Amino acid sequence: MKIYKLIRAFEPKIIGVKNGVHQVEWLQDKYNEKEMQQLQSFFINLDWNNINKKPDFTFVYHAKMLRNAILTDFMQFTPFLFGCPFLINTKVKNILDKHNIQDYYLFPAKIYDKDKVISEDYYLFYCPILDYDIIDFEKSVFYTQLGIDKKKRKWHNVNNLEEFKNFKGIGNLKVERLVLNENFDKSLDFFTGRIGGIFISEAFKKDIEESGLSGVHALSTYEPEVVIG
């Protein structure tokens, strides 16, 4: 089973803006104080130990286009909302419907250009991340690296979750090879865990490419390598 890392597009020719990060900005003034408290509590005030939350509410995500931004099928936004890697449009939703995706939730979105709604074809994509219990720490390969020179990587033995959480080396602990254990559902076409980012199957990648979906790249050479044990 070949796994690809899904990364968000950053090129100005694709997303329009030169910030390399986001195309739209959340319009928080569209909500009253009670609504904002609920949204902030769920999406922003993160408790890292309690992140696999299921929403018991719905809302409309309002966002304005940044200057020169381009509407893509996968859209990036600001500020960061935990568990929400992007906005998606109906074309992407139809692809998701064809595949086996881990639990996810969609909130309708309205996109504005100044004060005018220019699209209601988008959704805020929320996907509670899979827990550490899918990771075989002992077989995975971890390292630290100062700067961009891969030759200066320092390798670390990490045998379990406790050692990973209590790592006290210099630099952030990163993963070069991520091994998933028997707790992982091998049938998933799209998944995201606490380590590594977002990953998709070859079938999902094929549908992205054949449908011409814009705003993301699916790469097999982008770290970490994922191995399903």
Side-chain angles (χ1 to χ4, degrees):
M1 179 180 178
K2 193 164 186 178
I3 301 296
Y4 296 82
K5 184 159 185 178
L6 193 70
I7 65 169
R8 284 155 284 199
F10 58 87
E11 304 93 327
K13 67 179 181 180
I14 296 177
I15 64 175
V17 292
K18 296 181 179 179
N19 59 49
V21 183
H22 46 262
Q23 297 142 276
V24 300
E25 181 179 358
W26 188 22
L27 292 171
Q28 299 182 36
D29 60 359
K30 294 290 185 180
Y31 312 93
N32 61 40
E33 184 177 354
K34 182 178 180 180
E35 290 169 333
M36 275 307 302
Q37 287 177 348
Q38 181 183 47
L39 296 175
Q40 288 178 337
S41 175
F42 192 88
F43 291 114
I44 298 176
N45 299 330
L46 169 65
D47 177 359
W48 185 248
N49 295 310
N50 182 28
I51 55 178
N52 296 312
K53 299 183 292 185
K54 296 181 180 180
D56 58 2
F57 61 89
T58 188
F59 77 108
V60 177
Y61 181 88
H62 299 271
K64 68 176 181 180
M65 294 286 290
L66 298 184
R67 184 178 179 182
N68 297 324
I70 296 172
L71 287 173
T72 51
D73 300 305
F74 293 84
M75 286 253 288
Q76 301 175 64
F77 61 87
T78 188
F80 170 81
L81 299 179
F82 192 83
C84 303
F86 28 62
L87 302 176
I88 63 170
N89 62 13
T90 302
K91 289 171 61 178
V92 179
K93 179 180 180 298
N94 292 339
I95 298 298
L96 292 172
D97 290 341
K98 293 172 53 180
H99 293 278
N100 185 22
I101 312 297
Q102 67 178 86
D103 290 343
Y104 69 95
Y105 306 87
L106 300 179
F107 300 94
K110 290 185 179 182
I111 309 299
Y112 298 76
D113 185 3
K114 297 180 180 178
D115 295 326
K116 180 182 178 182
V117 176
I118 60 172
S119 179
E120 296 185 56
D121 188 43
Y122 283 85
Y123 302 87
L124 176 68
F125 178 87
Y126 168 62
C127 188
I129 65 178
L130 301 178
D131 216 336
Y132 288 117
D133 62 353
I134 65 170
I135 301 170
D136 188 325
F137 284 91
E138 190 173 1
K139 293 181 180 178
S140 297
V141 178
F142 295 91
Y143 68 94
T144 52
Q145 178 180 320
L146 299 179
I148 61 174
D149 188 354
K150 290 186 178 181
K151 294 180 181 180
K152 295 183 179 180
R153 286 185 175 180
K154 182 177 180 180
W155 311 100
H156 303 274
N157 291 324
V158 179
N159 297 303
N160 51 52
L161 176 58
E162 183 179 2
E163 290 183 8
F164 177 81
K165 286 186 172 182
N166 295 324
F167 176 75
K168 291 181 169 48
I170 298 175
N172 295 324
L173 195 60
K174 301 178 181 179
V175 60
E176 180 181 80
R177 189 171 188 260
L178 183 65
V179 180
L180 304 179
N181 59 30
E182 65 277 1
N183 294 324
F184 175 71
D185 182 355
K186 298 179 181 179
S187 69
L188 289 176
D189 291 301
F190 179 110
F191 63 93
T192 178
R194 291 190 182 227
I195 300 175
I198 301 173
F199 300 96
I200 61 173
S201 68
E202 193 157 17
F204 196 97
K205 175 180 181 289
K206 182 179 179 181
D207 272 351
I208 287 177
E209 293 173 345
E210 291 184 350
S211 301
L213 299 182
S214 58
V216 292
H217 301 297
L219 305 173
S220 61
T221 56
Y222 206 91
E223 289 186 351
E225 173 193 7
V226 176
V227 177
I228 300 177

